[in-house]
Amino acid sequence: MSWNFKTWRQHRILTHELVPDNLWQGAVKRLRFLRGLTPDELERLRQIVTLFLHTKQISGAGGLAITEPMRVIIAAQACILILNLTLDYYDDWVEIVVYPGEFIRDYEYTDENGIVHRTREPVSGESWPAGPVILSWEDADGIGAEPGYNVVIHEFAHKLDMLNGNANGYPVLHPGMSRQTWSHAFNKAYTDFCRQVETGEETVIDPYAAENPAEFFAVLSEVFFEMPLPIKQYFPEVYEQLALFYRQDPAQRWSDL
Ligand SMILES: [Zn+2]
């Protein structure tokens, strides 16, 4: 094998700067979705987290001071999505900004009649194509959240979705996956879900997922890792596509516990 600078550098970082044991164990205890991972998978995740923290800059906003445990907790959530992919999926941007709690999103959009609107709304996370991810620490701290809710996984799912343009619920699929099967599974599930939300039926996942196909993909990704069994039960075709895309089977992990 030929010598490769990137591999050599990564090896050096992992040898000398692996996330320390106490910080790593603290994050593992705190993050429910890590249960069921094998010791090998956890160690591999720790390595990806170490490299991720080397390439990303995590800064506090609104007076929030970022500590080492916070960095590891955020990174572990961001990296579960790429446990069986590669760090290259997060290559085209550097910055993560963290506010103490919800922050105000101030943006303009043009409606179908060409009228420009200006909106200000409090949000817990936001991600920009090839730009920063912005998070609320209150929502990203890994504890106290509603079951199935995970703002970090949500925003990083958008990041993966945005690798081929604007977020639209159609990320780049792996060779061997079928675009047609993906579209069929997601379109059908999304249409059914929107109808449930419109008629006021109780839903298994956050009704916010009905907002648009990009949000549907991001919310399902959260629940795929956080509460995989109901997703497999209620959205079996979508579950199968997500398992192929993330190259993970969290429902299997959970049912083995
Ligand atoms: Zn979203």
Side-chain angles (χ1 to χ4, degrees), residues 1-79:
M1 203 168 67
S2 64
W3 188 83
N4 175 305
F5 177 72
K6 192 172 166 187
T7 312
W8 173 81
R9 194 165 170 273
Q10 289 190 342
H11 181 73
R12 264 187 73 92
I13 293 169
L14 293 177
T15 308
H16 298 288
E17 293 165 65
L18 190 65
V19 171
D21 231 12
N22 59 333
L23 284 182
W24 183 242
Q25 293 312 333
V28 170
K29 272 205 203 98
R30 192 154 166 147
L31 301 171
R32 263 168 36 100
F33 62 85
L34 295 181
R35 53 191 263 191
L37 286 180
T38 64
D40 277 359
E41 286 171 326
L42 279 174
E43 195 51 32
R44 195 149 45 77
L45 183 64
R46 181 179 178 179
Q47 294 182 357
I48 300 170
V49 163
T50 303
L51 298 171
F52 176 88
L53 288 172
H54 246 265
T55 54
K56 302 296 175 226
Q57 184 186 322
I58 306 184
S59 30
L64 184 70
I66 301 291
T67 62
E68 276 307 302
M70 289 162 81
R71 281 163 48 81
V72 175
I73 285 161
I74 290 170
Q77 297 177 81
C79 291

XYZ file of all heavy atoms in Angstrom, residues 1-79:
644
model
N 0.845 -1.197 0.000
C 0.000 0.000 0.000
C 0.879 1.246 0.000
O 1.888 1.282 0.704
C -0.891 -0.025 1.251
C -2.128 0.813 1.101
S -3.323 0.478 2.432
C -2.471 1.093 3.868
N 0.499 2.232 -0.799
C 1.342 3.417 -0.859
C 1.111 4.311 0.369
O 0.066 4.267 0.994
C 1.048 4.195 -2.136
O -0.276 4.655 -2.084
N 2.124 5.109 0.682
C 2.054 5.985 1.843
C 1.049 7.091 1.576
O 0.990 7.647 0.486
C 3.450 6.578 2.090
C 3.518 7.339 3.365
C 3.713 6.812 4.616
C 3.395 8.751 3.526
N 3.712 7.808 5.548
C 3.525 9.014 4.908
C 3.195 9.824 2.652
C 3.458 10.302 5.437
C 3.124 11.101 3.173
C 3.249 11.333 4.544
N 0.231 7.409 2.560
C -0.817 8.402 2.359
C -0.796 9.365 3.543
O -0.896 8.960 4.703
C -2.149 7.639 2.271
C -3.345 8.554 2.191
O -3.540 9.413 3.043
N -4.149 8.345 1.169
N -0.645 10.660 3.226
C -0.491 11.663 4.283
C -1.696 11.686 5.219
O -1.560 11.743 6.441
C -0.269 13.052 3.678
C -0.171 14.126 4.718
C 0.955 14.219 5.534
C -1.201 15.025 4.909
C 1.041 15.192 6.517
C -1.125 16.000 5.888
C 0.001 16.086 6.689
N -2.895 11.615 4.610
C -4.115 11.710 5.413
C -4.195 10.549 6.420
O -4.469 10.751 7.602
C -5.322 11.686 4.471
C -6.612 12.060 5.143
C -7.705 12.191 4.113
C -9.071 12.241 4.754
N -10.125 12.206 3.758
N -3.912 9.355 5.932
C -3.958 8.174 6.810
C -2.908 8.287 7.910
O -3.161 7.990 9.081
C -3.694 6.899 5.976
O -4.520 6.972 4.817
C -4.018 5.648 6.733
N -1.727 8.740 7.535
C -0.636 8.882 8.502
C -1.017 9.889 9.590
O -0.840 9.652 10.781
C 0.630 9.347 7.753
C 1.768 9.694 8.663
C 2.649 8.831 9.259
C 2.146 11.017 9.087
N 3.544 9.516 10.026
C 3.265 10.866 9.940
C 1.665 12.298 8.834
C 3.891 11.951 10.540
C 2.286 13.386 9.430
C 3.383 13.202 10.274
N -1.606 11.009 9.146
C -1.979 12.064 10.082
C -3.084 11.568 11.020
O -3.044 11.792 12.225
C -2.451 13.284 9.292
C -2.543 14.506 10.141
C -2.663 15.792 9.370
N -2.981 16.835 10.333
C -4.222 17.113 10.692
N -5.227 16.468 10.188
N -4.434 18.070 11.602
N -4.061 10.881 10.447
C -5.158 10.359 11.268
C -4.618 9.369 12.298
O -5.023 9.379 13.454
C -6.195 9.661 10.379
C -6.975 10.672 9.540
C -8.165 10.060 8.833
O -8.245 8.851 8.681
N -9.075 10.889 8.390
N -3.684 8.548 11.880
C -3.093 7.570 12.779
C -2.381 8.280 13.942
O -2.505 7.890 15.095
C -2.124 6.680 11.996
C -1.502 5.627 12.847
N -2.197 4.529 13.297
C -0.252 5.526 13.368
C -1.406 3.802 14.054
N -0.218 4.373 14.111
N -1.669 9.331 13.615
C -0.970 10.112 14.656
C -1.950 10.699 15.659
O -1.733 10.661 16.861
C -0.205 11.273 14.001
C 1.246 10.982 13.739
C 1.907 12.261 13.252
N 2.063 13.207 14.346
C 3.155 13.272 15.085
N 4.163 12.470 14.874
N 3.237 14.165 16.059
N -3.040 11.272 15.123
C -4.050 11.891 16.006
C -4.648 10.821 16.926
O -4.785 11.026 18.134
C -5.159 12.579 15.170
C -4.578 13.776 14.410
C -6.308 13.032 16.064
C -5.520 14.352 13.356
N -4.971 9.674 16.350
C -5.606 8.619 17.153
C -4.641 8.047 18.190
O -5.042 7.643 19.267
C -6.134 7.497 16.246
C -7.301 7.923 15.342
C -7.716 6.784 14.431
C -8.489 8.405 16.171
N -3.350 8.028 17.858
C -2.364 7.509 18.803
C -2.133 8.477 19.950
O -2.039 8.082 21.102
C -1.022 7.254 18.070
O -1.299 6.457 16.927
C -0.027 6.558 18.967
N -2.087 9.761 19.629
C -1.684 10.732 20.655
C -2.844 11.498 21.284
O -2.700 12.068 22.351
C -0.700 11.743 20.064
C 0.556 11.105 19.575
N 1.508 10.610 20.437
C 0.998 10.846 18.329
C 2.495 10.092 19.732
N 2.206 10.212 18.449
N -3.973 11.563 20.564
C -5.014 12.466 21.058
C -6.400 11.841 21.099
O -7.411 12.538 20.958
C -5.041 13.729 20.180
C -3.768 14.547 20.339
C -3.641 15.573 19.233
O -4.496 16.467 19.201
O -2.722 15.456 18.414
N -6.483 10.550 21.274
C -7.781 9.884 21.373
C -8.582 10.526 22.513
O -8.007 10.886 23.551
C -7.546 8.398 21.670
C -8.761 7.483 21.589
C -9.300 7.399 20.157
C -8.398 6.078 22.077
N -9.885 10.705 22.314
C -10.736 11.281 23.373
C -10.495 10.491 24.664
O -10.598 9.260 24.666
C -12.233 11.176 22.980
C -13.129 11.558 24.150
C -12.539 12.039 21.765
N -10.137 11.175 25.758
C -9.794 10.458 26.991
C -10.956 9.612 27.520
O -12.116 9.944 27.313
C -9.472 11.575 27.985
C -9.279 12.801 27.166
C -10.022 12.616 25.888
N -10.575 8.548 28.230
C -11.532 7.576 28.740
C -12.689 8.181 29.534
O -13.852 7.861 29.281
C -10.766 6.624 29.671
C -11.045 5.197 29.292
O -11.618 4.971 28.203
O -10.715 4.313 30.099
N -12.364 9.064 30.467
C -13.431 9.596 31.334
C -14.447 10.393 30.529
O -15.664 10.263 30.717
C -12.846 10.425 32.475
C -12.020 11.589 31.982
O -11.457 11.538 30.867
N -11.930 12.657 32.756
N -13.965 11.173 29.567
C -14.882 11.970 28.734
C -15.726 11.052 27.869
O -16.930 11.254 27.693
C -14.092 12.906 27.816
C -13.486 14.142 28.460
C -12.783 14.972 27.397
C -14.563 14.963 29.143
N -15.074 10.040 27.324
C -15.788 9.122 26.432
C -16.861 8.355 27.199
O -18.008 8.265 26.773
C -14.801 8.179 25.737
C -15.494 7.274 24.778
C -15.559 5.921 24.827
C -16.268 7.668 23.633
N -16.322 5.450 23.789
C -16.768 6.498 23.047
C -16.590 8.908 23.062
C -17.587 6.510 21.906
C -17.399 8.932 21.938
C -17.881 7.753 21.366
N -16.493 7.808 28.365
C -17.474 7.041 29.153
C -18.636 7.933 29.578
O -19.788 7.502 29.603
C -16.812 6.408 30.393
C -15.786 5.319 30.077
C -16.297 4.288 29.071
O -17.499 4.041 28.948
N -15.394 3.699 28.291
N -18.341 9.183 29.883
C -19.400 10.133 30.268
C -20.403 10.300 29.138
O -21.630 10.275 29.354
N -19.906 10.439 27.917
C -20.801 10.623 26.761
C -21.600 9.353 26.503
O -22.808 9.394 26.252
C -19.986 11.010 25.528
N -20.938 8.207 26.601
C -21.616 6.932 26.317
C -22.764 6.710 27.305
O -23.861 6.291 26.934
C -20.607 5.758 26.369
C -21.322 4.409 26.317
C -19.615 5.867 25.214
N -22.525 7.035 28.578
C -23.572 6.858 29.594
C -24.765 7.756 29.315
O -25.905 7.416 29.581
C -23.014 7.215 30.974
C -22.370 6.048 31.645
C -22.379 6.234 33.165
C -21.285 5.395 33.779
N -20.070 6.145 34.073
N -24.473 8.925 28.803
C -25.519 9.933 28.663
C -26.405 9.714 27.435
O -27.558 10.096 27.431
C -24.801 11.278 28.515
C -25.662 12.466 28.633
C -24.732 13.542 29.097
N -25.276 14.846 28.986
C -24.969 15.799 29.848
N -24.154 15.553 30.841
N -25.473 16.993 29.707
N -25.840 9.133 26.384
C -26.567 9.070 25.114
C -27.252 7.714 24.944
O -26.602 6.702 24.685
C -25.604 9.359 23.958
C -24.936 10.734 24.060
C -23.823 10.874 23.021
C -25.953 11.861 23.890
N -28.562 7.742 25.087
C -29.357 6.508 25.080
C -29.209 5.701 23.798
O -29.245 4.487 23.804
C -30.840 6.885 25.211
C -31.410 6.823 26.594
C -32.783 7.505 26.619
N -33.532 7.288 25.379
C -34.493 6.387 25.235
N -34.842 5.622 26.242
N -35.129 6.266 24.085
N -29.066 6.411 22.674
C -29.064 5.688 21.394
C -27.786 4.873 21.191
O -27.682 4.109 20.241
C -29.283 6.649 20.218
C -28.199 7.678 20.083
C -27.047 7.385 19.385
C -28.327 8.927 20.662
C -26.031 8.321 19.255
C -27.319 9.868 20.542
C -26.174 9.566 19.844
N -26.811 5.032 22.092
C -25.580 4.244 21.954
C -25.714 2.857 22.572
O -24.837 2.013 22.409
C -24.397 4.977 22.604
C -23.991 6.295 21.946
C -22.796 6.896 22.661
C -23.652 6.076 20.468
N -26.843 2.627 23.298
C -26.992 1.308 23.911
C -27.103 0.257 22.801
O -27.666 0.507 21.735
C -28.199 1.264 24.840
C -29.468 1.718 24.172
C -30.566 1.902 25.178
N -31.380 0.683 25.165
C -32.549 0.586 25.785
N -33.030 1.586 26.474
N -33.237 -0.524 25.722
N -26.508 -0.878 23.070
C -26.589 -1.949 22.074
C -25.421 -1.958 21.098
O -25.231 -2.932 20.380
N -24.640 -0.873 21.060
C -23.446 -0.903 20.195
C -22.431 -1.872 20.819
O -22.281 -1.923 22.035
C -22.802 0.492 20.097
C -23.498 1.556 19.241
C -22.698 2.848 19.278
C -23.647 1.102 17.795
N -21.730 -2.618 19.984
C -20.721 -3.550 20.514
C -19.504 -2.742 20.977
O -19.318 -1.591 20.546
C -20.251 -4.526 19.418
O -19.588 -3.757 18.401
C -21.414 -5.283 18.813
N -18.657 -3.326 21.842
C -17.444 -2.606 22.259
C -16.609 -2.156 21.050
O -16.061 -1.052 21.056
C -16.693 -3.642 23.102
C -17.762 -4.556 23.614
C -18.813 -4.611 22.538
N -16.554 -2.972 20.008
C -15.792 -2.590 18.812
C -16.397 -1.364 18.138
O -15.683 -0.452 17.705
C -15.790 -3.733 17.783
C -14.723 -4.753 18.104
O -13.998 -4.537 19.096
O -14.626 -5.758 17.367
N -17.719 -1.358 18.016
C -18.383 -0.221 17.378
C -18.182 1.047 18.212
O -17.942 2.126 17.668
C -19.885 -0.510 17.222
C -20.192 -1.499 16.120
C -21.648 -1.949 16.115
O -22.256 -2.057 17.198
O -22.167 -2.206 15.024
N -18.277 0.906 19.535
C -18.076 2.075 20.401
C -16.662 2.620 20.254
O -16.453 3.836 20.231
C -18.343 1.704 21.863
C -19.822 1.673 22.275
C -19.955 1.155 23.703
C -20.462 3.057 22.157
N -15.694 1.727 20.149
C -14.309 2.172 20.012
C -14.106 2.875 18.664
O -13.406 3.879 18.565
C -13.362 0.962 20.162
C -11.910 1.328 20.398
C -11.678 2.328 21.542
O -12.435 2.336 22.531
O -10.721 3.127 21.419
N -14.753 2.326 17.635
C -14.641 2.946 16.306
C -15.307 4.325 16.318
O -14.790 5.289 15.758
C -15.285 2.029 15.262
C -14.938 2.371 13.846
C -14.927 1.131 12.963
N -16.067 0.254 13.187
C -17.285 0.494 12.727
N -17.514 1.567 12.017
N -18.275 -0.347 12.968
N -16.450 4.423 16.996
C -17.129 5.717 17.098
C -16.228 6.727 17.828
O -16.112 7.882 17.430
C -18.467 5.561 17.847
C -19.316 6.824 17.959
C -19.771 7.307 16.579
C -20.547 6.594 18.839
N -15.550 6.237 18.868
C -14.636 7.110 19.624
C -13.523 7.643 18.718
O -13.123 8.802 18.815
C -14.050 6.300 20.780
C -13.108 7.061 21.681
C -12.650 6.104 22.759
N -11.708 6.667 23.691
C -11.211 5.988 24.728
N -11.586 4.736 24.946
N -10.345 6.548 25.525
N -13.040 6.805 17.830
C -11.990 7.244 16.900
C -12.541 8.287 15.914
O -11.901 9.306 15.654
C -11.436 6.050 16.129
C -10.712 5.077 17.037
C -10.117 3.902 16.285
O -10.288 3.767 15.084
N -9.404 3.047 16.985
N -13.750 8.026 15.399
C -14.340 8.986 14.448
C -14.574 10.324 15.156
O -14.318 11.385 14.604
C -15.666 8.427 13.855
C -15.411 7.113 13.119
C -16.315 9.437 12.925
C -16.669 6.374 12.702
N -15.055 10.252 16.409
C -15.300 11.465 17.193
C -13.989 12.238 17.384
O -13.941 13.467 17.249
C -15.947 11.091 18.562
C -15.839 12.219 19.570
C -17.405 10.693 18.353
N -12.914 11.521 17.665
C -11.607 12.166 17.856
C -11.205 12.937 16.590
O -10.800 14.106 16.653
C -10.532 11.098 18.174
O -10.943 10.369 19.328
C -9.179 11.743 18.408
N -11.347 12.288 15.447
C -10.955 12.922 14.178
C -11.906 14.071 13.836
O -11.479 15.123 13.348
C -10.940 11.886 13.046
C -9.928 10.745 13.232
C -10.149 9.662 12.188
C -8.488 11.284 13.146
N -13.182 13.862 14.106
C -14.192 14.903 13.858
C -13.827 16.166 14.648
O -13.830 17.279 14.112
C -15.564 14.359 14.294
C -16.709 15.322 14.193
C -17.436 15.434 13.018
C -17.095 16.095 15.285
C -18.526 16.313 12.927
C -18.173 16.967 15.199
C -18.888 17.072 14.008
N -13.495 15.977 15.934
C -13.185 17.140 16.776
C -11.916 17.845 16.298
O -11.726 19.035 16.552
C -13.051 16.707 18.240
C -14.391 16.337 18.895
C -14.178 15.726 20.278
C -15.303 17.567 18.997
N -11.064 17.112 15.605
C -9.860 17.716 15.064
C -10.129 18.600 13.864
O -9.394 19.537 13.583
C -8.858 16.627 14.667
C -7.662 16.682 15.521
N -6.532 17.359 15.142
C -7.445 16.204 16.743
C -5.662 17.277 16.123
N -6.198 16.573 17.104
N -11.198 18.271 13.133
C -11.440 19.006 11.886
C -12.513 20.073 12.045
O -12.669 20.917 11.179
C -11.876 18.046 10.761
O -12.993 17.286 11.235
C -10.772 17.087 10.382
N -13.283 20.016 13.125
C -14.381 20.969 13.298
C -14.072 21.949 14.417
O -13.374 21.627 15.377
C -15.692 20.240 13.646
C -16.129 19.224 12.618
C -16.463 19.848 11.289
C -16.790 18.835 10.222
N -16.128 19.103 8.953
N -14.662 23.127 14.254
C -14.504 24.135 15.297
C -15.865 24.308 15.974
O -16.851 24.611 15.296
C -14.084 25.425 14.613
C -13.788 26.548 15.555
C -13.532 27.815 14.751
O -12.908 27.763 13.681
N -14.042 28.933 15.246
N -15.911 24.070 17.283
C -17.188 24.209 18.001
C -17.093 25.453 18.878
O -16.241 25.520 19.762
C -17.495 22.966 18.870
C -17.443 21.692 18.005
C -18.846 23.110 19.563
C -17.823 20.404 18.723
N -17.924 26.461 18.594
C -17.824 27.672 19.399
C -19.155 28.020 20.050
O -20.220 27.731 19.517
C -17.311 28.845 18.561
O -17.698 28.702 17.229
N -19.056 28.627 21.202
C -20.239 29.034 21.955
C -20.708 30.402 21.490
O -19.912 31.239 21.069
N -22.019 30.624 21.550
C -22.584 31.943 21.233
C -23.542 32.305 22.357
O -23.905 31.442 23.161
C -23.316 31.881 19.896
N -23.925 33.565 22.429
C -24.871 33.987 23.456
C -24.346 33.755 24.863
O -25.103 33.450 25.781
N -23.013 33.861 25.027
C -22.419 33.740 26.361
C -22.126 32.310 26.779
O -21.669 32.079 27.906
N -22.369 31.341 25.915
C -22.134 29.940 26.304
C -20.650 29.576 26.181
O -20.033 29.799 25.139
C -22.960 29.010 25.404
C -22.884 27.522 25.751
C -23.610 27.235 27.062
C -23.476 26.670 24.630
N -20.087 29.027 27.259
C -18.696 28.554 27.209
C -18.723 27.066 26.873
O -19.445 26.288 27.497
C -18.031 28.775 28.561
N -17.945 26.676 25.871
C -17.928 25.268 25.444
C -16.835 24.528 26.214
O -15.677 24.923 26.196
C -17.643 25.169 23.931
C -18.698 25.931 23.125
C -17.579 23.707 23.484
C -20.075 25.322 23.134
N -17.230 23.422 26.868
C -16.263 22.616 27.620
C -15.925 21.351 26.823
O -16.614 21.018 25.867
C -16.868 22.179 28.968
O -18.014 21.359 28.683
C -17.294 23.382 29.801
N -14.906 20.639 27.273
C -14.523 19.389 26.600
C -15.658 18.361 26.608
O -15.968 17.774 25.572
C -13.258 18.799 27.239
C -11.969 19.391 26.699
C -11.859 19.331 25.181
O -11.936 18.224 24.625
O -11.709 20.381 24.539
N -16.316 18.122 27.786
C -17.425 17.154 27.753
C -18.515 17.554 26.756
O -19.071 16.701 26.062
C -17.976 17.183 29.190
C -16.830 17.650 30.025
C -16.017 18.573 29.163
N -18.788 18.848 26.622
C -19.813 19.288 25.670
C -19.394 18.949 24.240
O -20.193 18.489 23.428
C -20.044 20.803 25.782
C -20.756 21.207 27.055
S -20.560 22.971 27.397
C -21.794 23.680 26.356
N -18.124 19.181 23.939
C -17.627 18.897 22.580
C -17.802 17.413 22.244
O -18.240 17.057 21.153
C -16.134 19.262 22.480
C -15.874 20.750 22.298
C -14.427 21.149 22.616
N -13.407 20.317 22.008
C -12.970 20.408 20.743
N -13.466 21.323 19.955
N -12.031 19.614 20.296
N -17.475 16.570 23.237
C -17.556 15.125 22.985
C -19.020 14.684 22.835
O -19.353 13.870 21.965
C -16.835 14.341 24.113
C -17.017 12.844 23.940
C -15.351 14.698 24.123
N -19.894 15.246 23.656
C -21.319 14.861 23.583
C -21.916 15.277 22.234
O -22.654 14.516 21.596
C -22.082 15.475 24.783
C -21.745 14.676 26.040
C -23.590 15.481 24.540
C -22.042 15.393 27.324
N -21.578 16.458 21.774
C -22.089 16.899 20.466
C -21.506 16.018 19.349
O -22.215 15.534 18.478
C -21.756 18.390 20.230
C -22.598 19.265 21.167
C -21.991 18.784 18.767
C -22.205 20.722 21.215
N -20.197 15.797 19.418
C -19.541 15.034 18.347
C -20.045 13.586 18.285
O -20.224 13.030 17.195
C -18.028 15.050 18.555
N -20.287 12.974 19.447
C -20.750 11.576 19.451
C -22.108 11.471 18.750
O -22.375 10.507 18.034
C -20.846 11.045 20.879
N -22.950 12.476 18.947
C -24.267 12.449 18.295
C -24.122 12.692 16.790
O -24.777 12.047 15.971
C -25.186 13.498 18.927
C -25.448 13.204 20.398
C -26.304 14.275 21.046
O -27.515 14.281 20.919
N -25.668 15.210 21.737
N -23.243 13.622 16.441
C -23.040 13.918 15.017
C -22.459 12.706 14.287
O -22.781 12.447 13.129
C -22.110 15.120 14.859
N -21.602 11.962 14.976
C -20.852 10.901 14.292
C -21.576 9.565 14.263
O -21.166 8.680 13.509
C -19.460 10.759 14.915
S -18.426 12.193 14.563
